Amino acid sequence: QVQLVESGGGLVQTGGSLRLSCAASGRAFSTYTIMGWFRQAPGKEREFAAAIVWSGSRTYYADSVKGRFTISRDNAKNTVYLQMNGLKPEDTAVYYCAAQTSGRYYSSPWAYDYWGQGTQVTVSS
């Protein structure tokens, strides 16, 4: 059974930093061709934040987080990370880790096969 478990969320002030982690189990980590982070604020649709290919050689970011967030993965630890710096109140959301095996459409939620339960990030002004 595939499981993605996020951790690292919390409450932080504007300009602060958080590091989210997503630990994967139940399937060979190398089969997740792309892993991504999405977020969903209250009353809004789930939106793409960042994604990384299996090798780590390519990363993708939404314009809203580019230059502030960094995605990385440690295949030896079956874990993907999202380092978030310069946080803003508009970054407040539940952050979800997701994994796909197809290797396509990195920014589309429907392309992902597996999802975590989410971790809350709250940025106070």
Side-chain angles (χ1 to χ4, degrees), residues 4-118:
L4 301 177
V5 180
E6 302 98 334
S7 61
L11 173 64
V12 64
Q13 292 185 334
T14 297
S17 299
L18 283 174
R19 188 195 195 201
L20 305 184
S21 299
C22 172
S25 62
R27 183 186 176 110
F29 199 61
S30 60
T31 62
Y32 301 133
T33 54
I34 295 179
M35 295 199 71
W37 286 95
F38 289 76
R39 64 186 186 181
Q40 189 166 17
K44 295 188 176 181
E45 293 187 353
R46 191 169 299 189
E47 66 173 12
F48 168 74
I52 187 168
V53 301
W54 178 83
S55 66
S57 60
R58 283 179 290 156
T59 56
Y60 307 93
Y61 297 95
D63 288 342
S64 58
V65 308
K66 198 172 296 182
R68 300 186 298 121
F69 290 11
T70 302
I71 188 171
S72 61
R73 63 190 288 171
D74 186 336
N75 290 340
K77 295 183 178 180
N78 294 351
T79 301
V80 64
Y81 305 96
L82 186 67
Q83 177 66 44
M84 305 185 296
N85 299 327
L87 284 162
K88 306 174 182 180
E90 51 263 44
D91 294 318
T92 295
V94 176
Y95 283 71
Y96 297 91
C97 172
Q100 63 167 271
T101 57
S102 65
R104 303 174 66 186
Y105 307 114
Y106 59 85
S107 64
S108 298
W110 55 261
Y112 288 78
D113 304 295
Y114 307 104
W115 291 85
Q117 292 300 306

